[in-house]
Amino acid sequence: MRANATGRVLHDPKGGSFRFDAGAVCLDFAHTGGEGQYAVFETLHEPADLGEWLAQPPLGAFMTVPVTARELSAAKTLRQAIWDAAHAQAARRPLLAETVATINRAAAAAPLIPELVADGTTAGWAPPVRAAQALSTLAREMIELLSGPLSGRIRECASDNCPLVFVDTSRPGARRWCAMERCGNRHKLRALRARQATDP
């Protein structure tokens, strides 16, 4: 997977947007919406929405077979499992058996198959390209993340009211915020106001 250009622009239902890089494509996928209180952030309303998301870089999986409603449902189930697994790992809690089973089930399907395009210097995905293959590829990346050297770098944003989760790929391993332009700057502003309030 060409995962060297992760990150997406997230939109707040109340207005505003910011670029959030979760550090892994599977974690970017986990932030495309959700259930319950996160339903307001849903971006995958129709099968075509899933196809459009998968076609974006770095995955670049252009569907040659239209996404089905069943695949969209499977995608949301996998998304929830990735979200739950990432939060459990960030909190150093054991993963639920159901979460593990969901990720393994998605990974068991045939993944996307890379191929060189005609010029011999760039890569694409061998057709047919189906959503189930892309979901398998995302599930396999999550398995590698959870079982690999970066598993201890999976973190939740340090802000009290931000649930965004990411893998800290920085060299010093000191990333605390979902994005400096969002929670990082808010924290700095609050700290500045607190200092000003206590200054004589």
Side-chain angles (χ1 to χ4, degrees):
M1 183 182 302
R2 292 148 293 178
N4 57 351
T6 54
R8 300 290 176 107
V9 174
L10 298 185
H11 301 279
D12 191 322
K14 298 177 183 176
S17 60
F18 69 102
R19 181 165 181 78
F20 170 61
D21 186 353
V25 183
C26 58
L27 294 186
D28 283 334
F29 182 64
H31 294 88
T32 59
E35 303 170 358
Q37 63 179 322
Y38 301 118
V40 294
F41 299 101
E42 186 60 70
T43 60
L44 306 180
H45 302 285
E46 304 290 339
D49 296 333
L50 175 59
E52 183 178 336
W53 193 93
L54 296 171
Q56 298 299 313
L59 195 58
F62 293 92
M63 299 296 107
T64 63
V65 179
V67 180
T68 67
R70 185 173 181 175
E71 287 172 327
L72 176 60
S73 178
K76 291 182 177 181
T77 299
L78 174 62
R79 178 181 69 185
Q80 187 64 46
I82 292 173
W83 174 271
D84 292 343
H87 279 274
Q89 180 61 25
R92 305 302 178 253
R93 297 190 312 264
L95 274 64
L96 295 177
E98 181 182 350
T99 298
V100 172
T102 298
I103 294 172
N104 284 341
R105 190 164 48 248
L112 294 167
I113 301 171
E115 69 172 5
L116 284 173
V117 298
D119 67 5
T121 62
T122 54
W125 301 114
V129 179
R130 296 184 172 90
Q133 292 174 283
L135 296 178
S136 174
T137 298
L138 292 172
R140 290 172 187 226
E141 184 194 34
M142 188 61 181
I143 290 171
E144 291 175 7
L145 182 58
L146 289 168
S147 62
L150 291 177
S151 63
R153 295 277 195 105
I154 298 175
R155 303 197 175 116
E156 186 175 327
C157 180
S159 176
D160 292 338
N161 60 352
C162 179
L164 299 185
V165 65
F166 56 87
V167 55
D168 181 2
T169 57
S170 68
R171 183 169 293 180
R175 180 178 171 185
R176 297 182 61 203
W177 313 107
C178 59
M180 276 306 300
E181 66 184 272
R182 187 173 184 260
C183 290
N185 283 344
R186 289 175 184 172
H187 174 76
K188 291 199 315 189
L189 185 58
R190 282 194 297 268
L192 175 61
R193 288 174 177 164
R195 285 196 302 271
Q196 289 173 339
T198 57
D199 286 343

